[in-house]
Amino acid sequence: PWDVGGKFLRVKIWDDETSIEKIVPVAGYKTVCNFFVDNVKLWWPKSLGEPHLYNYEVTLIENEQENYTKSGHFGFRTIEHDQTPADTQKFYCKFKINGQEIFLKGANWVPLDIMTGCITEDKYRKAIAMAHEAHFNCLRVWGGGIYEKEIFYDICDQTGMLVWQDFQFACADIPDDYEGFNEQVIEEVEYDLVRRKSVSLKPQSIEEAILQMNLLEHTFFAFKDEENGEAFAVVYKRNDGGYGLIENIG
């Protein structure tokens, strides 16, 4: 354990009607702080409602001095992927946001410029605004492009645009039969699953994970602990068409 004497985190959550603040001692490598928000306002894609967001601010206090502050926004919403068969001959693929069915309308999203460092916030806002004008409610970040800049996801959050995020394993010969590669990519999978505020599916079994991977053309799926958000197992697709399982991660 770290020597964390005198270190605290001040955590604030607020919107126009709610304001909550907590101060908790730093407990080592990871500190958990739970909040309960009454009468929560849900985030909705623009086609179904308002994309309400809450603000947050986390400040590290050491020896009564504010050393570092991280701020941003987040929303409350649920996403369900319903594949309940209608009968033995029919297969469903339905998405529900906050319990309400939604028809996804959108397009593939590729980098706006081959020189990705030249993509400005204005370019992102213009392109996403054009998607809204076309009555899109979802953008699929293509798996042969890049993990987009945070501003892209922030604008989608703010404007009510869902994001279908591919892992960046498309259009390439992925060496997923090489154990060293699989171990290295676990960090990428875990990081991006936690980072994304997007259409994310949560299968409850290995079989459901394989179904999802086939549907989304993904090579990996990570199972996460509900309490701390850390990945504890990864299902991956092998070159021979079969599937492997890496357990006891971390």
Side-chain angles (χ1 to χ4, degrees), residues 4-11 22-33 59-61:
V4 295
K7 296 180 182 179
F8 297 88
L9 289 178
R10 183 180 65 222
V11 186
K22 282 188 177 182
I23 297 179
V24 296
V26 174
Y29 179 74
K30 181 177 292 185
T31 300
V32 177
C33 180
T59 301
L60 174 63
I61 301 174

Side-chain angles (χ1 to χ4, degrees), residues 103-109 131 134-140 161-162:
F103 183 78
L104 297 183
K105 300 172 291 183
N108 288 336
W109 177 276
H135 302 289
F136 291 172
N137 58 19
C138 182
L139 293 172
R140 176 215 174 193
M161 180 67 72
L162 289 165

Side-chain angles (χ1 to χ4, degrees), residues 1-2 4 9 24-34 58 60 190-191 194 224-232 249-250:
W2 292 0
V4 295
L9 289 178
V24 296
V26 174
Y29 179 74
K30 181 177 292 185
T31 300
V32 177
C33 180
N34 294 318
V58 181
L60 174 63
E190 181 183 0
Y191 173 79
V194 174
K224 296 189 299 178
D225 186 286
E226 292 290 341
E227 293 185 1
N228 59 30
E230 294 183 350
F232 60 85
I249 300 171

Side-chain angles (χ1 to χ4, degrees), residues 50-85:
E50 291 298 320
H52 186 80
L53 295 173
Y54 288 80
N55 304 293
Y56 74 84
E57 181 182 89
V58 181
T59 301
L60 174 63
I61 301 174
E62 184 175 5
N63 298 324
E64 300 183 355
Q65 299 293 321
E66 296 183 1
N67 282 347
Y68 178 78
T69 296
K70 170 71 174 179
S71 61
H73 61 259
F74 67 96
F76 291 98
R77 58 100 178 97
T78 63
I79 295 179
E80 300 172 63
H81 182 212
D82 184 2
Q83 298 185 91
T84 305

Side-chain angles (χ1 to χ4, degrees), residues 117-136:
C118 297
I119 307 174
T120 63
E121 178 177 340
D122 288 342
K123 290 182 178 179
Y124 279 117
R125 290 195 178 278
K126 181 178 180 180
I128 295 171
M130 291 172 64
H132 279 295
E133 291 172 2
H135 302 289
F136 291 172

Side-chain angles (χ1 to χ4, degrees), residues 193-241:
L193 286 175
V194 174
R195 176 176 174 249
R196 293 284 63 78
K197 297 181 279 291
S198 61
V199 176
S200 55
L201 315 180
K202 297 175 64 176
Q204 301 302 311
S205 68
I206 294 175
E207 291 77 13
E208 290 182 11
I210 291 173
L211 284 174
Q212 174 183 314
M213 290 161 66
N214 288 331
L215 174 66
L216 303 181
E217 300 180 352
H218 283 174
T219 312
F220 295 87
F221 182 84
F223 288 90
K224 296 189 299 178
D225 186 286
E226 292 290 341
E227 293 185 1
N228 59 30
E230 294 183 350
F232 60 85
V234 169
V235 178
Y236 64 94
K237 192 172 184 178
R238 301 194 303 265
N239 282 346
D240 62 5

Side-chain angles (χ1 to χ4, degrees), residues 6 36 51 90 109-110 113 125 164 169 176 216:
F36 296 91
K90 295 181 180 180
W109 177 276
V110 301
D113 194 306
R125 290 195 178 278
W164 181 307
F169 302 135
D176 53 358
L216 303 181

